[in-house]
Amino acid sequence: MLRLAWRRSASKHSRAGPTCVLTAAYSGAYSPQQKSQGDLRCFRQIPHPPSDRSPLLHPRAACYLSPSVFMSMASGSEGPSSTSHKHSNRLAKERSPYLLQHAHNPVDWYPWGKDAFDKAKNEDKPIFLSVGYSTCHWCHVMERESFEDEEIGKILSENFICIKLDREERPDVDKVYMTFVQATSGGGGWPMSVWLTPELRPFIGGTYFPPRDRGGRPGITCVLKWQNNRPALESSGERIIEALKKGTTITANAGQSPPLAPDVANRCFQQLAHSYEEEYGGFRDAPKFPSPVNLMFLMSYWTVNRSTSEGVEALQMALHTLRMMALGGIHDHIAQGFHRYSTDSSWHVPHFEKMLYDQAQLAVAYITASQVSGEQFFAEVAKDVLLYVSRDLSDKSGGFYSAEDADSVPASGGPEKREGAFCVWTASEVRELLPDVVEGTAGNATLADIFMHHYGVKEQGNVAPEQDPHGELQGQNVLIVRYSVELTAARFGITVEKVNELLASARAKMAVVRKSRPRPHLDTKMLASWNGLMLSAYARVGAVLGDKDLVERAVKAGGFLKEHLWDAKQQTILRSCYRGDQMEVSPSISGFLDDYAFIICGLLDLYEATLQTEWLQWAEELQLRQDVLFWDDQGGGYFCSDPTDSTVLLQLKEDQDGAEPSANSVSAFNLLRLSHYTGRQEWLQKSQQLLTAFSDRLTTVPIALPEMVRALMAQHYTLKQVLMLADGDTESFLCQRLPVLSSMSQLRGVATAYVCQDFTCSLPVTDPQELRRLLLDGTTEHADRMTAE
């Protein structure tokens, strides 16, 4: 058994008492096979909380802390509001909202960087690394309990070099140490607490630590009491890192090809079907996450299996899940948008945080559902999401903010923030706000009666005690659609049209009241990657609906990215911008793989929505740069971060599509699309090499990579090229890349389309219905053979 120890850390502040012993972080249990509106200042999440992962994917090893310690809940709070502070530290000079929230702790915090590393080496002290993000509930619990505690702050500052890291600025660092925590515990989450040697090698890690021992959980004061066992710790950390390097390697073997797409897709469908919850949809009982990557895969699976029972089942799973989510409390029925996840199986009581990446992916999922089902309901939800983003998460520069907090001060007053306070309602509030009697209703019902019936509002509140462990929602109601409009109309003896009118009027009145409440903390950080996802959302929804305003908003987002997050001189994407008082860009942190991949995808979607070749040109430029920075020439695929950065101990290739798709999955698609647009065959080959590198994962647990399975399917079934812009300019970007376009022309002066597949093109089509048939049926009768020489 390894005791927590460090040669220099026996402190005069340590209390007498029983020796605190935690089991080893490494005891030979880990095996490589056990894997699972101001102006701007610009600077760089692990894309998903571990609780958003499939149970199939958790690595299991000896837990050195009880799994209950590894909590992965998310919410947040503002930093101190007072202008006079007893303490200040180096974080006061940072731009990250999360770091600023800790700028006045009695802890001698450093940001991640050379100053901290040098001090650790010069003083021969271990590093205490604390990682979180600004809207993380348990991060702020740990701050209030421990980092604001004078005694704990003194112990930390005297015995360690303390580093505070925003995981959304530095996902590369976060991923390395989260991999360590998951491998040695079987779980993970934020806040993440890791102790490192001065050489940045981890030797102890966990997530939330209470200030002192509590309920079987070791407190941070216990963890801070060390014994003289430095050699064992260093040796243990070294062995863990070496094991992780081997266990996380993703590479293609010589002569290997990507796995067969139909087999992989069928296995992915079966694995999702096995975890599917039939009553309310989703892929686990509770907590339930939206998982847009799963839903997009199921709809893609249906498109190539429409005539089979499995294909029909896949579509039903996707549409039912999307419908139940839209009706549930995870959907904000008053102020639009979706909360982070549901704490119960029926999508009723959410974790109230709202993340930009969820809004982006869900808007795409819902507009796709409207396309495959023909149901206007799904299109309305997609527009609803973008309405929220345009109103509450948009900067005047064209960028998008990262998140809204779950916690806020109740309207009734008091200093304590409560989760959901901004969003929930008491029955008395609803009755006071909606008192009018609605003429012609059975029993002279009031507007409140109709609203409360439809949205499940109860006098005593509608949140079960087990969904409210801290008593923050007692007597409150989370709105959830309990009845269809037709049933509500029948209940009160009025028409469906009248019910829709009344409910819309009630929601508008309640929205006005919501605006008067104290708002949750807004994280105004604008991340390149998440802005890329949202660029895709506006472009795709706008294109499908023919909504010029949405497309124009996408163009504005593209302009923001190019103006503020692209260093043309250095040919580098910047990770993030912060709203500030001056239009000033600081190239502090360069972009990571997901920044490039998500922006490229967004630019391709924007090109398809506008047919403006400037976006396609920039996508090509960014892809070339991504290849230089992150491509693995030996093993194929892309590293998540710069492989030359010596401060990042593990060069990882993200192998899971979670709350966000992995950048390699998106890149596999990007490369395929770009190869068709530009004629660059090397990008088609790179896409195939990438898929080959992930063959083992795709073959055994494709449920881990549903977005990559979609890319594999696109390779197998081949993309269709619909060429609708031939302006006769042989010097244009597209004609230069695809000379075959020079031979295409309009017929009779009307819009003309050519549908091509594998360089076999249909005769020119001018009839929309004929074009629809070509796209749906996949046939190109009387096709001409064309080559792009």
Side-chain angles (χ1 to χ4, degrees), residues 467-488:
Q467 303 307 129
D468 183 27
H470 303 295
E472 296 174 301
L473 301 176
Q474 188 173 0
Q476 303 286 341
N477 289 272
V478 177
L479 302 183
I480 179 172
V481 177
R482 290 298 190 192
Y483 301 97
S484 67
V485 177
E486 290 77 11
L487 285 174
T488 297

Side-chain angles (χ1 to χ4, degrees), residues 360-544:
Q361 292 177 89
L362 286 170
V364 172
Y366 276 101
I367 201 64
T368 304
S370 76
Q371 289 179 284
V372 299
S373 70
E375 292 189 45
Q376 182 64 21
F377 170 78
F378 295 116
E380 292 297 326
V381 178
K383 289 192 293 184
D384 171 279
V385 171
L386 298 186
L387 172 61
Y388 161 70
V389 174
S390 294
R391 186 189 64 234
D392 292 343
L393 294 182
S394 286
D395 187 81
K396 67 179 184 181
S397 65
F400 301 103
Y401 303 139
S402 293
E404 274 198 306
D405 210 334
D407 297 2
S408 59
V409 176
S412 57
E416 294 294 327
K417 294 187 177 184
R418 297 181 182 178
E419 180 165 6
F422 186 66
C423 303
V424 295
W425 305 86
T426 63
S428 60
E429 285 179 310
V430 178
R431 291 197 180 282
E432 182 179 349
L433 183 60
L434 308 173
D436 296 339
V437 174
V438 179
E439 295 184 4
T441 56
N444 292 321
T446 65
L447 180 55
D449 292 330
I450 297 172
F451 186 90
M452 292 170 67
H453 174 80
H454 189 74
Y455 286 106
V457 176
K458 297 181 180 180
E459 297 295 338
Q460 70 277 19
N462 67 4
V463 178
E466 57 268 24
Q467 303 307 129
D468 183 27
H470 303 295
E472 296 174 301
L473 301 176
Q474 188 173 0
Q476 303 286 341
N477 289 272
V478 177
L479 302 183
I480 179 172
V481 177
R482 290 298 190 192
Y483 301 97
S484 67
V485 177
E486 290 77 11
L487 285 174
T488 297
R491 166 69 175 77
F492 293 98
I494 52 180
T495 65
V496 168
E497 291 73 21
K498 184 66 173 177
V499 169
N500 281 323
E501 176 187 330
L502 291 169
L503 292 177
S505 172
R507 291 194 300 268
K509 292 179 179 179
M510 296 175 77
V512 172
V513 173
R514 278 270 294 266
K515 289 180 181 178
S516 68
R517 294 175 174 177
R519 291 196 68 90
H521 160 69
L522 176 67
D523 187 331
T524 57
K525 178 169 66 271
M526 289 170 271
L527 294 173
S529 60
W530 296 358
N531 273 256
L533 290 174
M534 189 53 70
L535 170 59
S536 284
Y538 274 92
R540 294 184 65 171
V541 176
V544 171

Side-chain angles (χ1 to χ4, degrees), residues 622-789:
L622 289 183
Q623 187 63 61
L624 290 168
R625 188 61 178 153
Q626 176 183 317
D627 293 347
V628 170
L629 291 173
F630 306 109
W631 180 255
D632 179 6
D633 288 320
Q634 280 72 47
Y638 294 97
F639 293 113
C640 295
S641 60
D642 182 358
T644 66
D645 187 346
S646 61
T647 66
V648 180
L649 300 183
L650 299 175
Q651 294 305 324
L652 299 172
K653 298 175 187 174
E654 181 65 41
D655 63 349
Q656 183 169 337
D657 298 320
E660 301 168 62
S662 79
N664 269 288
S665 296
V666 174
S667 294
F669 243 130
N670 289 346
L671 290 165
L672 182 60
R673 295 170 73 184
L674 279 166
S675 71
H676 283 267
Y677 276 128
T678 66
R680 289 180 178 267
Q681 291 302 299
E682 67 269 23
W683 276 340
L684 176 59
Q685 294 164 5
K686 261 189 166 61
S687 183
Q688 293 169 343
Q689 291 171 340
L690 187 158
L691 294 169
T692 301
F694 286 83
S695 288
D696 289 346
R697 194 73 157 160
L698 288 168
T699 301
T700 56
V701 273
I703 191 176
L705 289 164
E707 184 69 12
M708 192 174 288
V709 177
R710 291 182 66 226
L712 182 66
M713 293 166 66
Q715 290 263 8
H716 177 82
Y717 294 104
T718 71
L719 296 178
K720 289 186 176 67
Q721 298 165 301
V722 184
L723 306 173
M724 301 181 68
L725 182 62
D727 56 8
D729 181 6
T730 58
E731 301 300 317
S732 69
F733 173 81
L734 278 175
C735 283
Q736 290 295 310
R737 295 296 185 273
L738 298 172
V740 69
L741 294 183
S742 300
S743 64
M744 298 179 179
S745 60
Q746 279 185 313
L747 292 184
R748 299 180 297 279
V750 299
T752 305
Y754 293 81
V755 178
C756 307
Q757 191 169 353
D758 286 338
F759 301 106
T760 300
C761 296
S762 71
L763 292 172
V765 177
T766 58
D767 176 40
Q769 292 305 314
E770 175 64 8
L771 176 60
R772 177 182 176 84
R773 184 189 66 76
L774 286 173
L775 294 174
L776 291 179
D777 296 345
T779 57
T780 54
E781 294 179 5
H782 311 297
D784 291 336
R785 171 66 64 179
M786 293 187 174
T787 60
E789 297 176 349

